[in-house]
């Protein structure tokens, strides 16, 4: 395969919500920790969308004006590491706190996946703090670059709903890894696993189930 394998790994309620009040319940402690711990077994690096990234990892108050007169070299900016955290952020909205993300036992080099529409001031900011970046025109091209430039064979896609939907629509999810908490969220304002506003007829076949001691389960499906 000329691209990296994609494992979509999500923690959800019984009714498929990827966020909500259930996550604050002590009854989710074991399955929640299991979700985090299993990532390292699924793949060497993580990826997510811009909204989730800005919510948790990249919400600094940055004045890009100070980069107005800085020249930026053309092309991708590659920084090598053992593990990576890729953020799909077409227009450069993530205001990163650091060049690395600590998740569980892994320290991951942050990598922005961008379009050519990004302002040069934003690129100068990324270089200044040591965040790597690549330019792509499609998700498939991104996965090809992630494999060929960074050496990633298995990429763990950790949401949110919009990026999950985009990968599903393009047929780029090879495996679904779903950890289900022992609660129903029941809140319609919370998003489901993948948000598309349409049906896409890609089929996923059951592979395995692992019961968890708090009543949750870990389900794995593979793309047919």
């Amino acid at each position: 395969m000329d691209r990296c394998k994609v494992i979509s790994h999500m923690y959800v309620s019984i009714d498929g919500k990827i966020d909500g009040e259930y996550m604050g319940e002590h009854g989710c402690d074991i399955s929640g920790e299991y979700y985090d711990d299993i990532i390292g077994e699924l793949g060497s690096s993580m990826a997510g969308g811009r909204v989730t990234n800005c919510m948790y990892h990249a919400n600094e108050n940055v004045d890009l004006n100070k980069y107005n007169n800085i020249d930026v070299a053309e092309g991708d900016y590659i920084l090598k590491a053992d593990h990576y955290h890729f953020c799909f952020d077409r227009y450069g909205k993530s205001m990163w706190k650091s060049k690395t993300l600590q998740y569980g036992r892994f320290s991951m080099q942050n990598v922005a996946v961008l379009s050519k529409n990004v302002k040069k001031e934003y690129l100068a900011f990324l270089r200044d703090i040591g965040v790597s970046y690549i330019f792509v025109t499609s998700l498939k091209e991104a996965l090809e670059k992630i494999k060929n430039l960074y050496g990633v064979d298995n990429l763990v896609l950790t949401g949110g709903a919009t990026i999950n939907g985009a990968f599903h629509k393009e047929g780029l999810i090879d495996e679904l890894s779903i950890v289900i908490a022992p609660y129903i969220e029941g809140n319609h304002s919370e998003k489901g696993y993948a948000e598309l506003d349409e049906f896409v007829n890609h089929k996923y076949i059951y592979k395995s189930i692992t019961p968890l001691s708090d009543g949750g389960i870990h389900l794995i499906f593979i793309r047919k």
Side-chain angles (χ1 to χ4, degrees), residues 23-222:
M23 287 191 168
E25 296 294 324
H26 289 302
C28 284
D29 289 349
I30 293 173
S31 54
E33 290 176 6
Y34 174 88
Y35 168 82
D36 290 336
D37 292 342
I38 202 72
I39 289 176
E41 297 180 24
L42 296 173
S44 63
S45 298
M46 292 171 51
R50 190 267 307 170
V51 173
T52 301
N53 194 50
C54 288
M55 187 181 302
Y56 296 110
H57 314 304
N59 51 16
E60 289 291 279
N61 185 16
V62 179
D63 182 10
L64 294 179
N65 288 324
K66 69 178 184 178
Y67 299 102
N68 283 343
N69 299 316
I70 297 178
D71 291 329
V72 178
E74 296 288 332
D76 302 327
Y77 180 54
I78 309 300
L79 299 172
K80 291 298 186 72
D82 293 329
H83 306 280
Y84 301 96
H85 168 239
F86 298 91
C87 175
F88 288 80
D89 184 11
R90 282 184 296 174
Y91 302 113
K93 301 296 184 181
S94 296
M95 297 303 170
W96 300 86
K97 298 179 181 180
S98 170
K99 66 181 181 180
T100 58
L101 172 68
Q102 187 70 39
Y103 198 98
R105 63 183 184 275
F106 295 119
S107 177
M108 295 176 283
Q109 167 70 48
N110 285 320
V111 183
V113 182
L114 308 170
S115 73
K116 288 288 188 178
N117 296 317
V118 174
K119 296 178 179 180
K120 70 175 183 65
E121 289 84 2
Y122 184 74
L123 300 178
F125 158 66
L126 295 183
R127 286 173 174 261
D128 185 36
I129 65 171
V131 170
S132 180
Y133 59 80
I134 54 175
F135 295 106
V136 302
T137 57
S138 68
L139 293 178
K140 186 174 185 296
E141 183 187 5
L143 298 181
E144 291 169 351
K145 281 194 167 186
I146 287 170
K147 179 174 182 175
N148 296 325
L149 297 179
Y150 295 95
V152 175
D153 291 318
N154 296 321
L155 182 67
V156 184
L157 179 66
T158 56
T162 301
I163 197 71
N164 286 350
F167 270 77
H168 168 62
K169 184 175 182 178
E170 296 295 323
L172 295 173
I173 295 177
D174 303 292
E175 184 171 299
L176 296 175
S177 170
I178 308 171
V179 179
I180 302 178
Y183 291 96
I184 292 174
E185 171 59 29
N187 187 344
H188 290 296
S189 66
E190 298 295 349
K191 292 185 177 181
Y193 196 103
E195 298 290 330
L196 273 173
D197 292 327
E198 63 178 297
F199 172 72
V200 180
N201 65 341
H202 297 316
K203 187 175 183 179
Y204 302 90
I205 305 298
Y206 164 82
K207 180 182 179 181
S208 66
I209 183 171
T210 303
L212 305 176
S213 60
D214 63 355
I217 58 173
H218 180 203
L219 283 169
I220 294 181
F221 295 84
I222 54 175

